[in-house]
């Protein structure tokens, strides 16, 4: 769990920094900080409104009554929240990925469902996310992937293993912090799992190309390294975890599928 917490903090920090330093606003860093502060205030207001609505008995009862009907009120409300925060982030000159990310955070914090009235809600969101939004994101990213620029020269192809090693160093080495929390044999698998990244790389390289700070070949090589990390690193982590479980299995044998599911 410590590894996943560290990886989550890293994702949050990089998304915020990406929006602050490379957002669409032309007002400079100070202006972006002000806009980001306004966005944070908006998030607090939205979270308070959601919590207030949840505590109004009539509204809460209506939500429970309509959530499993054709209205699917909670799913539609989540999509509405996502759309509003995407628009708000875009209008404030921040990256849309920040709006999408914080929509999930707000939902996670405010909709805890202590009474267990909508246990299937998260499964429905996973169906919508993994079945609709995420495929569209990767299809659009694949259409923008410049294969010609990637194979234009041998030096560009040579960047792929360099970027892959850089991912492992930048995102994997911090797993050494978990030495006191995890058994020694699980440190390397944790490092491999948290070094896996592709969606953020796609967004960051797209922004870099638009700003003219990196070339299309470099961006394509970085995305290719991210794709390889998704395939190679989790596979290596699973092999290591199964090897550490020993031939008889035991408690550690059950760790691999749970880690892989994340």
């Amino acid at each position: 769990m410590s590894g996943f917490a560290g990886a989550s903090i890293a994702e949050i920090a990089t998304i915020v920094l990406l929006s602050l330093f490379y957002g669409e606003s032309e007002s400079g860093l100070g202006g972006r900080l002000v806009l980001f502060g306004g966005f944070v205030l908006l998030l607090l207001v939205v979270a308070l409104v959601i919590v207030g609505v949840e505590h109004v008995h009539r509204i809460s009862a209506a939500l429970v009554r309509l959530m499993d009907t054709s209205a699917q009120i909670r799913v539609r409300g989540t999509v509405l929240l996502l759309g509003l925060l995407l628009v708000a982030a875009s209008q404030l000159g921040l990256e849309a990925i920040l709006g999408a990310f914080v929509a999930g955070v707000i939902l996670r914090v405010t909709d805890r469902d202590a009474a267990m009235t909508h246990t299937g809600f998260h499964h429905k969101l996973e169906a919508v996310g993994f079945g609709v939004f995420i495929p569209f994101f990767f299809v659009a990213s694949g259409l923008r992937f410049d294969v010609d620029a990637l194979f234009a020269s041998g030096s560009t192809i040579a960047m792929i293993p360099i970027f892959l090693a850089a991912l492992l160093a930048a995102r994997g080495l911090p797993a050494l912090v978990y030495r006191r929390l995890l058994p020694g044999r699980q440190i390397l698998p944790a490092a491999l799992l948290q070094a896996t990244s592709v969606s953020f790389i796609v967004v960051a390289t797209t922004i870099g190309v638009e700003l003219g700070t990196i070339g299309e070949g470099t961006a394509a090589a970085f995305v290719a390294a991210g794709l390889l990390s998704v395939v190679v690193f989790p596979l290596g982590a699973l092999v290591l975890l199964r090897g550490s479980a020993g031939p008889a299995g035991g408690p550690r044998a059950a760790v691999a599928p749970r880690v892989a599911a994340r």
Side-chain angles (χ1 to χ4, degrees):
M1 292 300 294
S2 301
F4 298 126
S8 299
I9 293 173
E11 290 293 331
I12 295 172
T14 49
I15 290 172
V16 171
L17 292 175
L18 183 67
S19 295
L20 287 178
F21 288 98
Y22 301 103
E24 297 176 359
S25 174
E26 299 180 356
S27 54
L29 180 58
R32 290 196 192 106
L33 287 172
V34 173
L35 293 175
F36 182 74
F39 186 64
V40 171
L41 289 177
L42 175 63
L43 297 181
L44 292 175
V45 171
V46 171
L48 290 174
V49 169
I50 294 175
V51 172
V53 167
E54 288 282 345
H55 284 80
V56 177
H57 178 70
R58 289 186 178 181
I59 298 178
S60 180
L63 291 176
V64 173
R65 187 175 66 255
L66 295 173
M67 65 184 178
D68 290 324
T69 65
S70 59
Q72 293 295 327
I73 191 67
R74 287 188 179 274
V75 176
R76 294 188 181 188
T78 301
V79 175
L80 175 61
L81 174 65
L82 173 63
L84 290 175
L85 293 182
L86 285 175
V87 172
S90 179
Q91 291 298 315
L92 291 173
L94 304 173
E95 291 303 321
I97 188 175
L98 181 62
F101 184 83
V102 296
V105 173
I106 288 178
L107 198 65
R108 180 72 174 179
V109 172
T110 60
D111 193 7
R112 296 184 177 276
D113 189 26
M116 300 293 288
T117 58
H118 47 281
T119 54
F121 175 53
H122 287 173
H123 295 293
K124 294 176 182 178
L125 288 185
E126 288 179 358
V128 174
F130 290 107
V132 179
F133 292 114
I134 292 179
F136 273 128
F137 171 78
F138 283 107
V139 167
S141 301
L143 290 173
R144 292 194 300 266
F145 184 65
D146 197 338
V147 180
D148 294 333
L150 178 63
F151 293 100
S153 65
S155 60
T156 302
I157 298 176
M159 291 181 185
I160 298 176
I162 295 174
F163 286 146
L164 195 63
L167 272 176
L168 185 58
R171 297 173 60 96
L173 285 179
L176 294 174
V177 177
Y178 314 140
R179 285 180 297 179
R180 296 182 179 180
L181 303 174
L182 295 175
R185 293 181 179 179
Q186 294 185 9
I187 298 297
L188 183 55
L192 290 172
L193 287 172
Q194 74 178 28
T196 302
S197 180
V198 65
S199 57
F200 179 78
I201 292 175
V202 170
V203 175
T205 52
T206 300
I207 295 172
V209 171
E210 291 176 353
L211 295 176
T213 56
I214 60 174
E216 294 183 355
T218 303
F222 205 173
V223 172
L227 292 173
L228 282 177
S229 76
V230 173
V231 176
V232 175
F233 290 165
L235 180 61
L238 286 174
V239 171
L240 290 172
L241 286 171
R242 287 172 179 170
S244 65
R252 291 186 182 178
V255 174
R258 290 203 301 270
V259 173
R262 304 214 177 225

